[in-house]
Amino acid sequence: MEHTATYLGLIPLMPLIGAVVIGLMHMFTCTGRKIPEMVYSVLAVAGPVVSTLLALKTFFHLRAMPEEGRFLTQKVFTWFKVGELDVAMGFLADPLSVLMIVFVTFIGTLIHFYSIGYMAGDENYGKFFAYLNLFLGAMLILVLGDGPVVMFVGWEGVGLCSYLLISFYATDRDNVLAGNKAFIVNRIGDLGFVLGMSLLFWAIGSGGFDYLALRGNAADLAPGMGLAICLLLFVGATGKSAQIPLYVWLPDAMAGPTPVSALIHAATMVTAGVYMVARFSFLYAHAPLAGTVVAWVGILTALLAAVFGMFQKDIKKVLAYSTVSQLGYMFAGVGVAAYSAGIFHVFTHAFFKALLFLGAGSVICALHHQQDIWKMGGLKAKMPTTYWTMLIGCLALAGCPLLAGFFSKDEILYMALANGHTGVWLVGVIVAAMTAYYTFRMFFLVFHGAPRDQEAFSHAQESPKVMTIPLIILAVGAVFAGYLNLPAIFGGDQQVTHWLASSLVERHPHGSVGMEIFAIGASILAFGVGIYVAYKKFWLGAEEPEYTGFAKFAYNLFYVDQFYHAVLVRPYKAIGSTIQAVLEPYVTDGHVKISTILYQLLGRTFKVFQVGYVRIYALYMVIGLSLMSLFLSQTLN
Amino acid sequence: MLAELLFTVFALLAVVGALGLVLSRHPMNGAINLVMTMISLAGLYALLSAKLIFALQLIVYAGAIMSLILFIIMFLNIKKEDLPDERSRWGYYLGGAVIIAPVGMLMAKAVRRLPGSEATIVGDGFGGVKEVGLVLFREWLLPFEFVSILLLVALVGAVVLAGKRRSAK
Amino acid sequence: MIADYLILSIVLFCIGLLGVISRRNVFTVFMSIELMLNAANLAFVAFARLHESMDGHVLAMMVMAVAAAEAALALAVVILLHKHKSKLDTNVFSLLKG
């Protein structure tokens, strides 16, 4: 059976070409006559649209293949060969990566269209789309890569694009600092990833360093080594996917334009960590302790972020913490060895989180870049499309039964319970209640009640079609995406789980039907409680409270940023200044200076002989002659 | 016998003249000393049967070159105040003598090892104009031409160097 | 016997060399150089007598011609230097210092 495909490489290549072309066009015209935005728009969406079509083609191609050996590969070129390490730039399309690229390209394309409206009039229009295309290309390389090294190329690429896009409004220093923070914190995680990758190569890499070969050789791995590798790789995931302790960059990343927050920090880049754990399921399946660590870190992050989200007043920060929280759920899913459930939550979350962010962007745009929810209110009347789509998104996020979020989140919680992680399940249910609460707190404050800022309210109007149509499309996805993995108890046949089965190493526990109904009931109860409390407090409109005590502590994010700054950043900077003040002048520069001083000394010594009197130079010649004749007269005898 | 006496006289005069040149303060005195050395050298050339060279030494060296030097010395109108301060020259003399001694020693040693440095009887035409001319215009024609070009260059150079500057640069 | 002439030539040469390095007056230096040239001439002629060939005489003539040219140019330079600084001290022209 033929496993090579020739078009896989085009999927990441199209957006990359677009990025280069748009980038060059912007670079050469940014100071002179500008190219009309329409040109940039067409070029910008061309790449993602082609990638989406190719992704769908790959999907159908794979579906036509039998379940055994359901994968396509393409080796574009050999990158480097060093000793036993033979890395090629190759792509692997198996069920897991195809699922990812389908929704990544689809949502990516929708957000490109949305950005045409959102970024209209910005003077760096071309630069934005260059970066956005570059991001899409890097993300596709990450997902389609056929080995850890190629994945790492994409991993770094999306980190770079995240930095570039967060600092997009670079005239404001805070934005640039936020970009720096994102990149640096990511880098810390990347160190763990590289260490894990190196250990992996050292242990079982000699038989080939791509996923198929590694999966085949995974049995040769010693348990301790496997545990170490899994934990180190997870460190990389905490950086990229904003888990404890490296989540601090994600809320600051909201300084970027809203489409960026939607695409990168909600739907795609931050899910790279979850994808990575699922991709290495053959390692995690043999190291259950690592899985437990992942699950607990995930669910505790979910709890922490939910607490923060309950008290935030910036609409994007609420959504950011909600993203961190949902990512925690995903990691809880893959941590308890329910890889398909975790990936399925990635899939559904992409839809409703992107929807929520784009809707928030619509609101922000309408109110002329007002982001404080305590200054909004009553927008239901003014922005109906945004209202209804956001409602769907909020319900999906909160886990409303029959919408997408319910099925995926519930699957994770049920799997946690069925695999024996009761603690994870309990915390998960509590967080579900909190999720519902803070989601609808935001919703009621923004769209219901009396407007708090009358002036901004009067200018507000519905966003243009190019922005609302993606909202509608995503809302449809948020409603119906859940049905793709309908569990048996509801009469479905878990299509996604079966689709992913050949990519993952997964056990499917059979809990009793009673356990499943209990879990579902608990989830619905959490949802109801959360909404009810939010309704009681915020339905009729409320004023901004003065936070005290625990609320104040939570509003200030438990002062974690300040703690990191005091304990990590300042000593590091102090070390840097010490090195600059002490080490460099004397040690590193000192050695170089010694040689220059020696040269100068040598020169000054010889300068003594250059008296400037020609007579003395003649004397030197005679002295030389004399010495030579002394020597020669010895030989003459 | 006479030859040796003449040689001794001429040699002494030459050395005295040379020492006088090196030791005297005013260049005029030195120039006169040098003239004396040159004339005694001419005598020595005659003793060596170098008739043409003897004549040329007197005409060119003692006659033309030394008179040119004397002319320039007198032209510059050197008074006692114009002379440089050379009180430290005695130290240089002593030091110089010490340094130059090995050089002289080496050359003396080389001379002593020369084979067959006794005088021989030479024919009548040795050193005469005709004989020197024959050698000059046969084997040494090319250097002769070059030397004439050299003299032309020196002539032009001297005019350019010491002549009046025409442009107001 | 020729050795005596050669020894004399060496003595004159060394005296000339002494004069070059120990005197500051430009004329004295120049005349010491002429003395050295003469010593060399004497050596040439002595060797010509020894080997009974005229080459030494021819070379002595060349040396004289070159010495004449050099004398002309050197004196022109001395005149220029005197015009420049009106001093006859070689130590005054020390721009090469350092």
Side-chain angles (χ1 to χ4, degrees):
Chain A
M1 177 191 353
E2 192 51 63
H3 282 297
T4 28
T6 48
Y7 55 85
L8 282 182
L10 290 174
I11 298 181
L13 187 65
M14 290 288 114
L16 287 175
I17 292 178
V20 169
V21 169
I22 297 174
L24 285 173
M25 277 168 64
H26 173 80
M27 200 160 71
F28 287 119
T29 60
C30 56
T31 49
R33 200 163 53 93
K34 303 272 182 154
I35 297 178
E37 286 184 0
M38 179 58 88
V39 177
Y40 283 131
S41 317
V42 168
L43 281 172
V45 295
V49 164
V50 170
S51 293
T52 314
L53 294 172
L54 284 173
L56 286 170
K57 173 178 172 176
T58 320
F59 171 67
F60 286 120
H61 190 164
L62 275 188
R63 259 187 55 154
M65 294 166 82
E67 195 166 323
E68 295 300 315
R70 183 176 272 170
F71 61 89
L72 290 168
T73 58
Q74 182 184 7
K75 272 196 176 14
V76 182
F77 58 88
T78 305
W79 187 7
F80 60 87
K81 264 197 240 218
V82 176
E84 286 176 342
L85 181 59
D86 182 354
V87 174
M89 183 60 79
F91 299 108
L92 170 71
D94 70 351
L96 176 60
S97 50
V98 161
L99 178 70
M100 297 285 296
I101 60 173
V102 162
F103 82 80
V104 164
T105 50
F106 181 65
I107 294 183
T109 314
L110 282 179
I111 293 183
H112 273 80
F113 278 108
Y114 178 89
S115 308
I116 295 174
Y118 189 86
M119 300 299 290
D122 192 297
E123 62 165 353
N124 286 318
Y125 193 80
K127 186 160 84 162
F128 180 82
F129 280 106
Y131 288 161
L132 209 61
N133 267 5
L134 182 65
F135 166 78
L136 198 61
M139 185 72 201
L140 289 167
I141 290 180
L142 195 163
V143 174
L144 275 178
D146 73 346
V149 181
V150 183
M151 179 204 261
F152 193 61
V153 171
W155 189 273
E156 293 293 304
V158 296
L160 169 71
C161 294
S162 168
Y163 162 76
L164 288 171
L165 285 163
I166 293 172
S167 334
F168 186 71
Y169 297 125
T171 47
D172 189 348
R173 188 166 175 263
D174 289 337
N175 298 341
V176 176
L177 290 177
N180 282 356
K181 187 172 177 181
F183 197 79
I184 292 171
V185 174
N186 245 251
R187 223 53 192 118
I188 299 173
D190 290 348
L191 178 65
F193 189 94
V194 169
L195 284 173
M197 199 164 66
S198 316
L199 273 183
L200 184 63
F201 173 71
W202 186 38
I204 55 172
S206 42
F209 205 48
D210 52 276
Y211 295 131
L212 297 174
L214 286 171
R215 190 170 167 178
N217 291 330
D220 301 334
L221 204 52
M225 184 68 92
L227 180 64
I229 292 173
C230 291
L231 287 176
L232 283 170
L233 289 172
F234 179 60
V235 170
T238 57
K240 185 67 71 186
S241 303
Q243 299 296 292
I244 292 173
L246 299 173
Y247 65 90
V248 289
W249 64 271
L250 189 53
D252 284 26
M254 297 298 118
T258 310
V260 167
S261 310
L263 181 59
I264 299 185
H265 306 125
T268 46
M269 182 182 97
V270 290
T271 59
V274 185
Y275 168 74
M276 190 265 300
V277 174
R279 181 51 89 191
F280 284 110
S281 59
F282 53 87
L283 292 177
Y284 282 94
H286 294 299
L289 182 60
T292 314
V293 170
V294 169
W296 273 102
V297 169
I299 206 70
L300 286 174
T301 310
L303 180 64
L304 186 71
V307 167
F308 291 155
M310 293 200 301
F311 298 101
Q312 297 304 309
K313 67 175 179 180
D314 183 337
I315 188 174
K316 285 177 75 173
K317 288 254 167 55
V318 173
L319 292 174
Y321 282 111
S322 146
T323 308
V324 176
S325 185
Q326 294 303 305
L327 285 167
Y329 266 116
M330 295 173 212
F331 277 107
V334 294
V336 299
Y339 303 104
S340 53
I343 294 290
F344 184 54
H345 196 51
V346 169
F347 181 71
T348 55
H349 172 266
F351 282 99
F352 55 75
K353 194 45 69 63
L355 167 62
L356 284 172
F357 265 109
L358 294 186
S362 176
V363 166
I364 291 170
C365 233
L367 291 177
H368 290 294
H369 297 284
Q370 171 63 264
Q371 293 184 221
D372 187 346
I373 56 180
W374 293 108
K375 294 202 169 52
M376 302 179 188
L379 283 171
K380 173 181 177 185
K382 285 275 189 144
M383 307 176 70
T385 321
T386 309
Y387 173 77
W388 286 109
T389 50
M390 283 280 281
L391 178 62
I392 292 175
C394 288
L395 284 172
L397 172 59
C400 174
L402 302 183
L403 275 95
F406 170 68
F407 291 115
S408 56
K409 204 192 300 189
D410 183 69
E411 184 72 19
I412 291 176
L413 292 175
Y414 166 60
M415 280 293 170
L417 196 58
N419 281 337
H421 292 94
T422 321
V424 173
W425 173 81
L426 189 60
V427 175
V429 170
I430 296 174
V431 174
M434 292 161 83
T435 307
Y437 167 72
Y438 68 66
T439 312
F440 277 93
R441 166 181 178 265
M442 174 197 79
F443 184 76
F444 291 142
L445 280 177
V446 172
F447 290 102
H448 286 272
R452 289 175 194 83
D453 185 348
Q454 204 54 42
E455 228 229 275
F457 178 75
S458 52
H459 291 301
Q461 57 177 22
E462 186 58 86
S463 302
K465 282 270 190 324
V466 76
M467 285 166 75
T468 53
I469 291 185
L471 288 176
I472 298 173
I473 297 177
L474 285 172
V476 168
V479 170
F480 293 111
Y483 291 100
L484 284 173
N485 203 26
L486 207 56
I489 197 167
F490 291 114
D493 55 0
Q494 297 224 294
Q495 291 181 343
V496 171
T497 308
H498 288 130
W499 168 256
L500 290 174
S502 59
S503 304
L504 307 167
V505 175
E506 205 174 3
R507 290 179 304 116
H508 297 284
H510 295 290
S512 62
V513 175
M515 185 187 277
E516 198 162 352
I517 294 183
F518 173 65
I520 294 173
S523 301
I524 297 180
L525 182 64
F527 166 73
V529 164
I531 287 204
Y532 181 69
V533 175
Y535 170 80
K536 273 303 240 200
K537 286 185 80 171
F538 302 109
W539 173 260
L540 295 170
E543 291 307 314
E544 181 171 2
E546 272 299 314
Y547 286 131
T548 53
F550 180 77
K552 183 155 183 250
F553 197 47
Y555 176 69
N556 283 316
L557 315 172
F558 289 179
Y559 298 109
V560 170
D561 276 317
Q562 288 83 337
F563 174 72
Y564 278 170
H565 187 80
V567 170
L568 296 173
V569 175
R570 284 192 38 211
Y572 199 73
K573 277 173 112 168
I575 293 175
S577 354
T578 315
I579 290 180
Q580 185 188 14
V582 173
L583 212 61
E584 269 193 8
Y586 295 116
V587 176
T588 53
D589 287 353
H591 286 113
V592 178
K593 284 214 187 95
I594 283 179
S595 56
T596 59
I597 290 172
L598 276 174
Y599 270 121
Q600 281 182 335
L601 217 61
L602 206 65
R604 249 179 251 140
T605 314
F606 280 107
K607 192 173 121 156
V608 170
F609 291 109
Q610 306 293 319
V611 285
Y613 306 138
V614 184
R615 181 167 65 102
I616 304 295
Y617 296 156
L619 179 60
Y620 294 152
M621 285 202 294
V622 173
I623 290 176
L625 183 65
S626 165
L627 288 170
M628 196 174 68
S629 46
L630 268 176
F631 176 69
L632 278 176
S633 51
Q634 300 298 327
T635 61
L636 211 51
N637 262 5
Chain B
M1 236 323 282
L2 184 61
E4 275 149 34
L5 181 65
L6 280 175
F7 169 74
T8 318
V9 168
F10 283 138
L12 264 166
L13 281 175
V15 173
V16 165
L19 283 172
L21 160 67
V22 172
L23 293 173
S24 62
R25 186 108 199 275
H26 200 294
M28 178 73 99
N29 302 339
I32 300 299
N33 279 313
L34 189 60
V35 171
M36 183 168 79
T37 303
M38 290 199 177
I39 295 174
S40 27
L41 275 179
L44 286 168
Y45 292 146
L47 278 172
L48 282 171
S49 318
K51 308 178 194 64
L52 180 60
I53 302 301
F54 153 78
L56 281 179
Q57 170 87 353
L58 283 175
I59 297 171
V60 173
Y61 247 118
I65 295 178
M66 286 321 296
S67 60
L68 176 65
I69 292 175
L70 278 167
F71 169 70
I72 298 298
I73 291 174
M74 288 190 277
F75 173 73
L76 289 181
N77 202 8
I78 301 169
K79 298 190 204 52
K80 206 140 189 240
E81 310 79 65
D82 300 329
L83 288 176
D85 177 11
E86 289 196 276
R87 276 167 297 173
S88 58
R89 71 188 200 269
W90 298 100
Y92 278 98
Y93 286 148
L94 277 154
V98 169
I99 290 171
I100 293 172
V103 182
M105 291 291 177
L106 174 69
M107 289 197 273
K109 258 196 217 161
V111 164
R112 215 171 289 138
R113 287 156 68 99
L114 275 178
S117 48
E118 288 86 33
T120 53
I121 308 294
V122 286
D124 218 4
F126 181 81
V129 182
K130 180 171 166 202
E131 284 72 22
V132 175
L134 278 173
V135 176
L136 177 65
F137 292 113
R138 283 197 197 139
E139 281 95 66
W140 297 88
L141 182 58
L142 194 58
F144 174 77
E145 297 297 333
F146 281 142
V147 168
S148 48
I149 294 175
L150 176 82
L151 287 172
L152 175 66
V153 167
L155 174 65
V156 172
V159 168
V160 165
L161 274 179
K164 199 159 38 155
R165 290 275 178 266
R166 224 150 289 173
S167 54
K169 243 198 244 173
Chain C
M1 204 197 80
I2 298 294
D4 304 333
Y5 288 91
L6 293 172
I7 299 288
L8 176 63
S9 160
I10 291 168
V11 169
L12 287 175
F13 183 82
C14 290
I15 293 176
L17 197 52
L18 188 68
V20 167
I21 62 178
S22 48
R23 295 301 303 266
R24 273 160 75 166
N25 194 315
V26 287
F27 283 113
T28 313
V29 170
F30 172 62
M31 287 191 284
S32 307
I33 294 173
E34 290 297 324
L35 179 60
M36 284 157 72
L37 282 168
N38 272 296
N41 258 0
L42 180 60
F44 271 132
V45 175
F47 274 116
R49 178 69 170 83
L50 179 65
H51 297 302
E52 291 181 36
S53 84
M54 303 298 156
D55 294 329
H57 295 189
V58 170
L59 277 168
M61 272 172 59
M62 301 287 171
V63 169
M64 268 189 237
V66 169
E70 174 228 347
L73 288 170
L75 290 170
V77 167
V78 167
I79 290 180
L80 274 178
L81 288 174
H82 185 81
K83 250 198 248 180
H84 204 286
K85 291 244 178 159
S86 57
K87 281 240 195 302
L88 289 170
D89 192 350
T90 55
N91 275 8
V92 167
F93 307 100
S94 61
L95 283 175
L96 284 172
K97 192 178 176 68

